[in-house]
Amino acid sequence: SNKVVIVYYDAGNSDYGTAIVGTVSGTNISFGSATVFSSSSAFDISAAFDSNSNKVVIGYRAGSSYPAYATAIVVSGNSISFGTPVVFLSQHSIGISASFDSNSNKVVFFCNDQSNDNGIGIVGTVSGTNISFGSSTNFTTNNPTLMHSIFDSTNNKLVIIYRDNDNSGHGYSVVGTVSGTNVSFGTPVRYTSVARAS
């Protein structure tokens, strides 16, 4: 739709998960109306554009025990509508990061499963405004936070960086490969021996 979508929690509205469409013209940007996608506190919000389904897919944690949700956004002009949120991790989650794998046409979410402090990856398939998920896979057992992920289209791999809290907060990276509805990982590699702060 040639738009940008900003997703955030609105501290002025009970921390509700909110999205807004922006239109860029030259060096100017204008916005439509903000739309709530989570009528409860929503944190660790991350979005990825699924170019296969032409949907923006959001991952976030919300509710009293902070399970991880995903939902698909439909953009029409300056307006937004949402699919039904789907839980992809029922336990308390933190540090959600979303990326789109254009080789497999899948959205992949990464986060910390706080029931055991493992870092997990899980593959989502978007159909219309619905999202279905495969099984989660651990990429580390070392209590990761500050996760960021990106798709390397040259090698058709996902690259995840994170803070390893069981190793003095050092920065680590790991490579993920999507096959069907599953993701597998290589061995994490440390890229900095100082604590990552962001």
Side-chain angles (χ1 to χ4, degrees), residues 13 15 29 115 117 137 147:
N13 186 28
D15 296 332
I29 185 166
S115 69
D117 287 334
T137 306
M147 273 161 273

Side-chain angles (χ1 to χ4, degrees), residues 136-158:
S136 64
T137 306
N138 289 352
F139 62 85
T140 181
T141 58
N142 286 359
N143 190 20
T145 53
L146 303 177
M147 273 161 273
H148 301 283
S149 58
I150 194 168
F151 179 65
D152 176 347
S153 59
T154 298
N155 295 294
N156 289 326
K157 304 291 183 182
L158 292 148

Side-chain angles (χ1 to χ4, degrees), residues 24-91:
V24 176
S25 177
T27 57
N28 299 313
I29 185 166
S30 58
F31 292 98
S33 299
T35 305
V36 170
F37 63 81
S38 173
S39 296
S40 61
S41 299
F43 301 107
D44 288 359
I45 304 168
S46 182
F49 178 62
D50 181 335
S51 58
N52 182 58
S53 66
N54 284 324
K55 302 291 190 301
V56 176
V57 183
I58 308 170
Y60 60 97
R61 61 186 180 101
S64 58
S65 59
Y66 292 115
Y69 291 86
T71 189
I73 293 178
V74 179
V75 176
S76 178
N78 288 323
S79 300
I80 291 176
S81 59
F82 302 95
T84 303
V86 178
V87 174
F88 65 84
L89 180 67
S90 58
Q91 296 86 267

Side-chain angles (χ1 to χ4, degrees), residues 44 46 59-60 68 88-89 93-101 106-113 118-123 133 136-140 144 146-151 157-162 174-178 183-185:
D44 288 359
S46 182
Y60 60 97
F88 65 84
L89 180 67
S93 59
I94 60 170
I96 296 168
S97 180
S99 286
F100 177 66
D101 181 327
K106 304 291 185 181
V107 178
V108 188
F109 293 95
F110 307 95
C111 67
N112 181 317
D113 177 350
N118 288 348
I120 68 158
I122 189 167
V123 176
F133 289 96
S136 64
T137 306
N138 289 352
F139 62 85
T140 181
L146 303 177
M147 273 161 273
H148 301 283
S149 58
I150 194 168
F151 179 65
K157 304 291 183 182
L158 292 148
V159 179
I160 307 97
I161 63 169
Y162 59 94
V174 66
V175 173
T177 305
V178 173
V183 57
S184 58
F185 298 98

